[in-house]
Amino acid sequence: MTSSYDADAALFGNRFAVQDTPDRFFPPGGMAASDALRLVAEDLAIEGDPARNLATFVTTWMEPEAQRLIAENLHRNFIDHAEYPRTAEIEQRCIRMLADLFHAPGETTGARTQGSSEAIMLGALSLKWNWRARQQAAGRPTTNPNLVFGGDVHVVWEKFCRYFDVEPRIVPLRPDKYTIGPEDVEPHIDENTIGVAAVLGTTFTGHRDDIVGINDLLVRIRDERDMDIPLHVDGASGGFVWPFLYPDSKWDFRLEQVRSINVSGHKFGLVYPGVGWLIFREKADLAADLVFKENYLGKTDETFTLNFSTGSGMVLAQYYNFVRFGRAGYTYKLKNMQHNAHRLADRLEEMGRFEIIGRDHEQLPLVAFRLAGEAPYDEFDIAWQLSAERGWMVPAYTMPPDAQEVTIMRALVKETFSQEHVDTLARDIAEACATLQAKGGAHESERAKMVVGPGH
């Protein structure tokens, strides 16, 4: 480029409008802050709109005051408790509030994590360490631990088993049964079972496992066979839903074999990613060997996380939400989401094309649906047509084994999804189906670009 171009770019901006964007080699020089901001912003502008992403469970909007709190504390290293003791205290407040929300019977402990994936890893590690201690005390071998969970879990449970050398005993689903209960779990349990994981709000259909039934099974096994097998509840999505929409439903520490619960603050906790929480029933449920003491940041601290340094912003934002909304505010917001989920289900049923899955059961604020009859297109085609025509991201996916022949679509209804959005989406789905009816299904090249997984 000429020197006159450089002068014009300096004056008018957007230097990279007619240049290749740096993407491979480390740039030899820099650029003005305004140019760098515009470069990144314009690159992101061609992505999907988060407001129309009905696949993701992750929070896509927070109040301006919360955003300000996050921005002003990104530089504050959360793990440095010696320098930032109030931040550490706020974490502990959140843990105590969640323990109260989940009906912990007394003093307990827990940890803030990057999300539920880290919380699950830590909770399952504690299950393994505590099982090993029980085995050693009884003079039994500690070489073949197993963990029982259903095919409706998030993939992180299989990751834990692979990473930490635990046998996964996965209960298969069925075409008409997308969660698990005690009759499914019992055949997989033995003295090497470190625990059972049950899901509160699956990513596939938004329902919960029969947590009460599984708890009762484990109580019976404990009393009859002297095997104390703990129950971990994966409340990544549902831990901030059930206390407010279904407060009388027992799934938490009101059940005696529930020893630990994870929940994602960045899902229905209404915080931007990433923050998660792990809460134990009581302090003894956290294996002591997993707690590290260090003093190189200025004072002796105990740490129980896989990650170390991270910004304080999301922890502070979580506490902001707790004190901003309280039980009344969360209940109000969740009931609004549930209302609009029911409205969308009604609109889809009125079309006569779709079967709504499990709307009469306790469920996350979402709509899981599938085609009800024969058509020259399928759910994947609808997902593509919605994306191509209107920019909606509505995932289509097959269920886990042994229900892999079932294809489902899922529309998540979040805080910013209004009645007007519901009605617009319903019209767009009807128009997408009409287009597909006329032209046939999507081309394979189009299908390759679709959102096809449930775990967002």
Side-chain angles (χ1 to χ4, degrees):
M1 293 290 180
T2 65
S3 58
S4 62
Y5 175 84
D6 290 337
D8 287 343
L11 178 60
F12 303 118
N14 203 13
R15 171 180 294 276
F16 283 92
V18 292
Q19 294 182 17
D20 290 334
T21 300
D23 68 349
R24 183 176 178 183
F25 300 108
F26 205 94
M31 67 182 74
S34 57
D35 285 342
L37 175 62
R38 189 167 179 179
L39 169 66
V40 177
E42 291 183 359
D43 213 3
L44 294 176
I46 59 176
E47 283 193 329
D49 179 3
R52 286 183 289 177
N53 184 358
L54 307 188
T56 182
F57 285 84
V58 174
T59 296
T60 55
W61 181 86
M62 292 191 74
E63 293 180 327
E65 294 83 357
Q67 295 186 46
R68 176 181 172 184
L69 188 65
I70 292 169
E72 291 179 353
N73 288 280
L74 289 172
H75 66 296
R76 194 181 304 275
N77 188 3
F78 169 78
I79 203 65
D80 195 346
H81 295 168
E83 297 298 330
Y84 311 122
R86 302 315 300 167
T87 304
E89 165 59 20
I90 287 174
E91 177 212 26
Q92 293 303 309
R93 291 177 190 173
C94 290
I95 289 170
R96 292 191 292 268
M97 289 178 180
L98 287 170
D100 172 62
L101 189 67
F102 300 157
H103 298 94
E107 188 177 1
T108 184
T109 189
R112 158 250 143 246
T113 60
Q114 286 298 103
S116 272
S117 293
E118 184 187 4
I120 286 168
M121 293 282 183
L122 292 169
L125 275 173
S126 198
L127 294 178
K128 182 180 179 181
W129 257 245
N130 286 337
W131 166 83
R132 186 171 62 188
R134 293 194 301 271
Q135 292 289 94
Q136 290 170 339
R140 294 191 293 260
T142 61
T143 52
N144 297 298
N146 67 72
L147 180 63
V148 179
F149 50 84
D152 55 335
V153 300
H154 192 278
V155 69
V156 69
W157 285 99
E158 293 184 62
K159 284 186 177 181
F160 165 79
C161 290
R162 185 179 300 179
Y163 294 170
F164 293 103
D165 198 23
V166 173
E167 176 195 352
R169 294 190 173 177
I170 305 174
V171 179
L173 306 183
R174 298 198 301 267
D176 59 344
K177 190 173 185 292
Y178 307 129
T179 56
I180 65 170
E183 68 283 357
D184 307 303
V185 168
E186 187 168 14
H188 298 277
I189 289 176
D190 60 28
E191 67 179 18
N192 291 322
T193 300
I194 68 173
V196 177
V199 183
L200 184 74
T202 75
T203 59
F204 296 98
T205 65
H207 298 107
R208 62 170 174 81
D209 290 334
D210 182 0
I211 300 172
V212 172
I214 295 171
N215 173 80
D216 293 346
L217 167 70
L218 297 180
V219 169
R220 178 168 59 82
I221 288 174
R222 182 196 65 195
D223 295 341
E224 295 178 359
R225 297 163 58 182
D226 193 28
M227 291 166 50
D228 189 8
I229 298 173
L231 176 58
H232 176 98
V233 175
D234 180 356
S237 298
F240 278 113
V241 173
W242 261 256
F244 307 112
L245 290 186
Y246 315 106
D248 297 327
S249 180
K250 293 183 178 180
W251 61 272
D252 52 17
F253 295 126
R254 287 171 288 185
L255 305 176
E256 57 186 301
Q257 287 302 108
V258 175
R259 313 304 301 184
S260 51
I261 298 170
N262 68 274
V263 63
S264 293
H266 59 225
K267 293 183 180 176
F268 291 102
L270 307 181
V271 178
Y272 288 142
V275 62
W277 302 93
L278 173 63
I279 310 296
F280 291 95
R281 181 187 190 87
E282 55 190 45
K283 287 187 175 182
D285 290 308
L286 168 56
D289 288 345
L290 292 174
V291 180
F292 281 80
K293 292 185 178 180
E294 50 77 23
N295 66 358
Y296 69 87
L297 289 179
K299 67 173 244 186
T300 299
D301 274 326
E302 293 184 348
T303 63
F304 171 57
T305 54
L306 296 176
N307 294 295
F308 200 65
S309 293
T310 189
S312 298
M314 300 311 166
V315 173
L316 302 178
Q318 185 74 86
Y319 184 64
Y320 169 92
N321 278 356
F322 287 177
V323 299
R324 166 76 173 95
F325 303 127
R327 290 178 185 263
Y330 271 99
T331 300
Y332 169 80
K333 288 175 176 291
L334 266 297
K335 284 188 174 180
N336 283 349
M337 296 181 214
Q338 185 183 55
H339 169 84
N340 284 335
H342 290 168
R343 185 182 180 93
L344 178 59
D346 290 340
R347 295 292 179 269
L348 293 174
E349 281 188 331
E350 289 166 4
M351 294 179 196
R353 301 175 184 268
F354 298 105
E355 170 195 350
I356 308 302
I357 297 171
R359 67 175 301 182
D360 296 327
H361 297 86
E362 294 177 3
Q363 190 178 29
L364 298 173
L366 57 78
V367 183
F369 59 103
R370 57 184 300 208
L371 285 166
E374 295 295 324
Y377 54 89
D378 62 17
E379 291 84 357
F380 293 102
D381 298 328
I382 298 172
W384 166 256
Q385 197 65 33
L386 277 175
S387 175
E389 283 188 356
R390 300 297 183 193
W392 293 111
M393 289 171 271
V394 181
Y397 46 87
T398 56
M399 295 295 286
D402 289 334
Q404 63 268 25
E405 295 182 2
V406 176
T407 303
I408 285 178
M409 298 186 71
R410 186 199 67 219
L412 197 69
V413 176
K414 293 192 292 188
E415 182 178 6
T416 56
F417 199 70
S418 67
Q419 280 195 174
E420 179 62 27
H421 292 149
V422 166
D423 295 341
T424 300
L425 173 62
R427 287 194 298 270
D428 289 345
I429 290 174
E431 291 176 7
C433 290
T435 299
L436 290 165
Q437 186 72 34
K439 78 168 189 176
H443 189 272
E444 287 302 316
S445 63
E446 297 173 322
R447 288 190 174 192
K449 302 173 185 176
M450 299 174 190
V451 177
V452 295
H456 298 272

